Amino acid sequence: MIIRLARCVFMLAVLGLLAAGVATAEARSEPFFPRSGTDAYNVRHYGVDLAYRPANGSIVAKTKIEAAARQRLRRFSLDLVGLRVTAVSVDGAAAEYNRGRGKLKITPPTPIAQHAAFTVVVEYRGRPRRITDPDGSSEGWNPTPDGAVAVGEPVGTAAWLPCNNTPADKASFDIRLTVPARLRAVSNGRLRGVQLLGSRRRYEWRERKPMATYLALIDIGKGKLLYGKTDGLPAWTLVDPAQARQSQRVLAKLGEIVRFESGLFGPYPFEALGSVVDDVPLEYALETQTRPIYAFVPDLTTVVHETAHQWFGDSVSLKRWPNIWLNEGFATWTEWYYAERHGGRSAAQTFHRLYRVPASNTAFWDPPSGHPGQAKNLFATSTYVRGAMALEALRLKIGTKPMLRVLRRWATRYRDGNADIGQFIELAEEVSGQRLGALFQRWLWARGKPPIAG
Ligand SMILES: [Zn+2]
């Protein structure tokens, strides 16, 4: 079914028939996480007020959600895993609510009209959970020796935020975090202010640009919150004291990396940047918007990768999770191209070396990057490596200049929005003036090692 759906998108794109209506209908079906998110409304803004209590690792929070109804709403739901909800109001009036599996179901006192703007306030508390993904990795709320880290790819943000948990519904965020004064608290965007409230401190973060819920970050812990300018933009960085010395050199490269990638893909898409390094048992780095988080001392390649995601994934976001190639293939290809332009191996050399992997190594070649098939394959090796090879195969076919023009136009045309693979192919054909259906068919959708000719 997934395969047919993907090929269907592909055929429509090749025929130039990917009309907006088709794309929208397609965007609203989420095969990997069908219980997450809804198309009944769009969120415009999340205003989060969250106090963290280290004694028992609990939170007390109040979130205000400003949304617009896409249809008449007699009831609607938000994604929320665990925690105890103590009050819900809609447009200032108390609303009835109950809980379902991963859902907060709300019945407003009067139905909300189609297209009407409405405001929901949810008050909740408790100990937020760690969430185990289909591939066995952890996300959600993760306690650390000195605080906690909240990360949400693909669905973990519902562990601490009642939200419309789909990358198709992006919104601006205000995240206010109150923590004991000895701790720091970091989130996305700009730091608007820090207030001392007795023995506690409140940090007010604001991300004005649209952000997918999975890219929201909370990091609470010890360390120095460093402020400076990076490539002319305000940057905030928090590194766990145990990792500070070792991280310093690579994090100092961020400005140069942003300049390099801006030169390729167009202006940096956000108003702030920075880094977070924390001692949290996650074993991955994540491109949390404006400020990636590293669960270990990162190397240069990892910072190049997470920074590339600010364009590919964060600014231009997925509509549906099976399109993950648009994130990981692009960020991995950027690693290769960065190396090429900095005295390392060329991306073509990397491509040809990897192409020697025999077809019998199916774990390397499958699943094909354009359709991971199941949620547990979202972050399979092939999503990254075969995914980057697909882009290098495109470059080998159309040439370096057209290739870079495709990437830049992709980042520009869909900036602050959402797009899908069909739209990428359409753009690549538009820029190159070539028919690329057969190439993408081989590299994105056919199982097994793609033949190189053609
Ligand atoms: Zn990545």
Side-chain angles (χ1 to χ4, degrees):
M1 189 180 151
I2 300 292
I3 292 168
R4 274 180 42 207
L5 186 63
R7 285 184 191 212
C8 170
V9 172
F10 157 74
M11 287 309 296
L12 288 169
V14 169
L15 295 169
L17 293 174
L18 198 76
V22 176
T24 306
E26 147 87 8
R28 296 290 160 186
S29 64
E30 172 49 62
F32 286 178
F33 303 97
R35 291 192 57 80
S36 281
T38 173
D39 59 1
Y41 57 86
N42 278 331
V43 177
R44 291 174 176 162
H45 184 75
Y46 293 95
V48 185
D49 225 314
L50 185 149
Y52 166 70
R53 305 203 161 145
N56 59 1
S58 69
I59 62 168
V60 177
K62 183 174 177 175
T63 290
K64 181 176 171 185
I65 298 157
E66 292 164 46
R70 290 168 53 91
Q71 59 193 59
R72 186 170 184 270
L73 299 175
R74 286 165 53 86
R75 5 173 21 205
F76 61 92
S77 64
L78 292 160
D79 296 290
L80 182 67
V81 175
L83 302 171
R84 185 161 63 88
V85 174
T86 55
V88 177
S89 70
V90 177
D91 291 331
E96 285 183 27
Y97 60 92
N98 56 61
R99 303 296 299 272
R101 195 155 57 94
K103 293 283 181 186
L104 170 62
K105 297 173 183 171
I106 298 167
T107 308
T110 52
I112 298 161
Q114 187 181 17
H115 305 309
F118 64 103
T119 301
V120 188
V121 177
V122 182
E123 292 176 50
Y124 52 104
R125 57 180 61 215
R127 215 168 8 193
R129 293 182 194 174
R130 179 182 283 140
I131 288 177
T132 303
D133 288 332
D135 65 4
S137 62
S138 288
E139 52 160 341
W141 189 274
N142 299 268
T144 61
D146 57 355
V149 172
V151 285
E153 190 179 28
V155 290
T157 297
W160 60 272
L161 179 72
C163 59
N164 187 15
N165 208 10
T166 162
D169 191 3
K170 296 166 68 160
S172 54
F173 281 71
D174 276 302
I175 300 180
R176 290 175 289 273
L177 302 169
T178 307
V179 298
R182 66 191 162 81
L183 299 179
R184 308 287 169 259
V186 175
S187 187
N188 312 85
R190 287 174 181 250
L191 180 60
R192 308 239 311 143
V194 185
Q195 263 184 295
L196 192 61
L197 307 161
S199 63
R200 290 148 57 91
R201 264 205 190 92
R202 186 165 73 184
Y203 293 80
E204 297 190 34
W205 296 92
R206 171 170 290 177
E207 175 51 3
R208 292 198 318 142
K209 293 294 189 89
M211 176 164 86
T213 50
Y214 83 89
L215 295 168
L217 165 72
I218 294 180
D219 184 273
I220 297 168
K222 290 181 187 161
K224 275 190 196 141
L225 180 57
L226 300 173
Y227 170 77
K229 286 278 170 82
T230 298
D231 200 30
L233 288 169
W236 287 270
T237 292
L238 180 64
V239 181
D240 189 282
Q243 297 157 310
R245 198 181 51 80
Q246 284 176 288
S247 301
Q248 207 174 11
R249 232 171 78 190
V250 65
L251 295 184
K253 291 262 198 184
L254 180 61
E256 184 226 299
I257 294 166
V258 168
R259 266 192 301 284
F260 174 77
E261 295 182 357
S262 306
L264 296 176
F265 311 137
Y268 177 75
F270 304 119
E271 297 172 335
L273 31 70
S275 311
V276 174
V277 183
D278 207 349
D279 178 18
V280 54
L282 288 176
E283 291 160 5
Y284 57 79
L286 187 64
E287 63 269 25
T288 38
Q289 189 155 312
T290 68
R291 192 159 297 115
I293 176 157
Y294 305 92
F296 45 83
V297 173
D299 61 9
L300 179 64
T301 302
T302 306
V303 179
V304 168
H305 179 107
E306 302 309 334
T307 305
H309 274 309
Q310 302 304 312
W311 285 263
F312 306 119
D314 294 14
S315 174
V316 182
S317 299
L318 305 172
K319 292 174 178 174
R320 308 180 309 125
W321 286 106
N323 274 204
I324 190 72
W325 172 68
L326 295 170
N327 292 11
E328 300 307 345
F330 289 45
T332 306
W333 184 85
T334 306
E335 293 171 25
W336 298 359
Y337 192 66
Y338 184 94
E340 173 176 329
R341 296 284 299 274
H342 290 81
R345 188 181 286 137
S346 73
Q349 284 170 327
T350 301
F351 175 94
H352 289 297
R353 258 169 59 110
L354 290 164
Y355 197 75
R356 285 189 224 136
V357 174
S360 58
N361 188 342
T362 52
F364 179 85
W365 294 107
D366 287 329
S369 325
H371 64 93
Q374 302 176 53
K376 74 175 165 73
N377 296 333
L378 263 181
F379 306 105
T381 305
S382 58
T383 299
Y384 295 77
V385 180
R386 179 177 168 157
M389 291 177 81
L391 281 180
E392 186 60 20
L394 173 65
R395 177 186 176 192
L396 292 170
K397 184 162 172 73
I398 68 174
T400 300
K401 270 193 182 160
M403 169 72 179
L404 293 174
R405 215 174 296 136
V406 170
L407 293 178
R408 194 181 183 100
R409 205 173 289 180
W410 178 249
T412 308
R413 184 173 293 179
Y414 298 106
R415 189 181 171 112
D416 296 333
N418 296 83
D420 60 32
I421 292 179
Q423 289 166 307
F424 181 77
I425 295 172
E426 206 172 55
L427 178 66
E429 293 196 329
E430 176 192 308
V431 170
S432 68
Q434 297 188 36
R435 295 178 64 114
L436 300 167
L439 177 99
F440 283 112
Q441 169 62 22
R442 285 199 305 278
W443 278 96
L444 294 184
W445 288 304
R447 287 185 72 80
K449 182 173 178 175
I452 208 161

